[in-house]
Amino acid sequence: VLCCLALLSKTKGIISSRSASTLSSQILHRVAVCNRSPSKPLIPFNLAESVNLDNPLGLVDEGVVATIVSSSPSSFAVSAGDGLVLTESSVAAQNAALAKASLALRELGLIKAWRDELSPFVNSFSDITREYKSKGRYEGLVVERGAAALFSCRGFGVHVNGYVKGETMADLKLWVGKRSESKGVCPGMLDHIVAGGIPASHPLPSENVVKECGEEAGIPEDIAEKAEAVGMISYHGMDTWAWEGRIDQDGTGEGYKRDVLFCYDLEIPPDFVPKPVDGEVSGFELVGIEEVMKTFEAGRGVTETYKANDYLVIADFLVRRGYVRPEDDDYTEIVQSLRVA
């Protein structure tokens, strides 16, 4: 009983200093930003060998279908019954057609940030892990990461909550990165200490975490390997949050993101200071959990706001660590909203 009372006293300060109902509504708003429905129906995209209209491989805006088909008329077909279909039978030919289509979309200015990185194009993350376990690498369908949302390719990434413990819950701090101004997506915004998409070349999340820790924040392997896999969040929605003010007026150029982010918690030693390595981040700051929660407020400046999908990972952290509790308003709605089927 004494232990429970002590825990309650540690959380009470944070809860009383902020309106739990206000934080809950702010979290739900941030979740909604990542789950915006398309303004018009999207065209299902499948391989000819496995057309599935109920669970398509991808979803494409009708405004870009013609560009995709014209890039390789012998490789793509479109019909009212099947939607957009990639007719090539070999993986090599399929990937070549997707590469040509991506270049065509880029030439029209519809790809806002070309990555020169290939993303797996699959129906399920299990498709990646099964192939990796059997072959030691992923050799399946891939697409340029910058074009992935235009095909509604399911995206997978890793996000690390790098935290420093305090004497109480109120004293916990998170390392916050500031994205480089040269980034094609959400430049200058706040970000996790380590976060990134899972490329076809490094498809295992936990291995990717260690790699990204070294590349983005100079975190040595002996610390990075202690990152704890704590679950995942997911969202389905138009990616207008990534291209605010940079979308064609008719909406062409938006993509529909169907992403899964694998979440990791990493306790950072108090005497360790991360440093930018690869230029993805311009700097890091250690921020108290109270200040982190304040960033959920609407109307903050771009440089005071996290990249939109980061908020879902942070919300999950707040739930798991007891900063958002079952007796708070909309608790069940928040937990359920962080994992879209």
Side-chain angles (χ1 to χ4, degrees):
V1 174
L2 290 176
C3 184
C4 291
L5 289 174
L7 177 60
L8 186 60
S9 68
K10 289 179 181 181
T11 59
K12 191 174 181 181
I14 289 181
I15 294 171
S16 61
S17 66
R18 290 184 57 78
S19 167
S21 61
T22 299
L23 178 60
S24 294
S25 64
Q26 291 167 349
I27 289 173
L28 289 174
H29 168 72
R30 295 294 183 179
V31 171
V33 167
C34 289
N35 288 279
R36 288 174 175 157
S37 299
S39 59
K40 52 190 174 183
L42 300 174
I43 308 299
F45 170 60
N46 285 290
L47 302 180
E49 64 209 46
S50 55
V51 173
N52 186 336
L53 300 183
D54 294 324
N55 184 31
L57 180 65
L59 293 163
V60 182
D61 187 289
E62 62 182 2
V64 301
V65 168
T67 300
I68 294 171
V69 173
S70 63
S71 69
S72 298
S74 62
S75 300
F76 293 98
V78 62
S79 69
D82 292 336
L84 179 64
V85 174
L86 179 53
T87 58
E88 300 289 354
S89 57
S90 72
V91 172
Q94 291 165 351
N95 284 337
L98 285 171
K100 288 182 67 175
S102 298
L103 286 171
L105 294 169
R106 181 189 188 185
E107 289 174 1
L108 286 179
L110 299 179
I111 296 178
K112 314 301 180 182
W114 189 268
R115 307 294 188 87
D116 278 324
E117 181 179 292
L118 296 175
S119 294
F121 203 159
V122 293
N123 264 318
S124 166
F125 194 72
S126 297
D127 297 337
I128 302 172
T129 55
R130 289 193 192 99
E131 182 160 346
Y132 191 88
K133 289 174 182 177
S134 65
K135 299 180 180 179
R137 58 191 177 278
Y138 175 74
E139 297 180 333
L141 201 67
V142 293
V143 66
E144 154 63 33
R145 185 178 171 191
L150 288 174
F151 285 95
S152 193
C153 165
R154 289 174 174 83
F156 303 96
V158 293
H159 279 232
V160 178
N161 299 297
Y163 68 95
V164 178
K165 277 186 176 179
E167 290 187 6
T168 70
M169 285 178 63
D171 298 322
L172 183 141
K173 297 180 179 180
L174 285 176
W175 278 106
V176 179
K178 183 176 182 182
R179 295 170 65 82
S180 169
E181 293 290 348
S182 64
K183 291 283 289 182
V185 177
C186 301
M189 300 187 77
L190 305 180
D191 207 342
H192 282 93
I193 186 173
V194 171
I198 294 178
S201 58
H202 294 83
L204 298 186
S206 295
E207 291 182 4
N208 208 41
V209 164
V210 175
K211 179 181 78 74
E212 293 290 332
C213 276
E215 292 179 357
E216 291 190 2
I219 301 174
E221 284 191 16
D222 63 327
I223 295 177
E225 288 173 345
K226 296 176 182 178
E228 179 185 4
V230 292
M232 55 172 255
I233 63 92
S234 58
Y235 53 92
H236 292 180
M238 304 304 293
D239 68 346
T240 48
W241 55 266
W243 312 119
E244 202 65 44
R246 299 168 62 189
I247 299 292
D248 296 340
Q249 288 186 355
D250 66 354
T252 302
E254 297 178 15
Y256 187 70
K257 298 179 78 68
R258 297 184 292 170
D259 290 355
V260 170
L261 303 182
F262 298 107
C263 305
Y264 288 77
D265 287 353
L266 176 60
E267 183 176 355
I268 304 295
D271 59 349
F272 178 80
V273 178
K275 59 182 180 181
V277 178
D278 61 4
E280 297 281 316
V281 177
S282 62
F284 295 96
E285 183 179 358
L286 190 59
V287 179
I289 193 66
E290 176 74 10
E291 290 302 310
V292 171
M293 288 191 283
K294 286 181 181 178
T295 68
F296 279 83
E297 297 170 355
R300 296 171 65 89
V302 170
T303 59
E304 300 175 318
T305 306
Y306 278 90
K307 184 163 62 74
N309 57 356
D310 287 8
Y311 280 113
L312 279 64
V313 179
I314 297 170
D316 176 70
F317 182 85
L318 295 176
V319 168
R320 289 185 292 100
R321 296 277 168 164
Y323 297 98
V324 177
R325 308 196 299 171
E327 55 267 32
D328 293 338
D329 291 351
D330 301 317
Y331 178 86
T332 56
E333 289 80 0
I334 288 171
V335 174
Q336 291 170 348
S337 71
L338 295 175
R339 293 162 189 86
V340 178

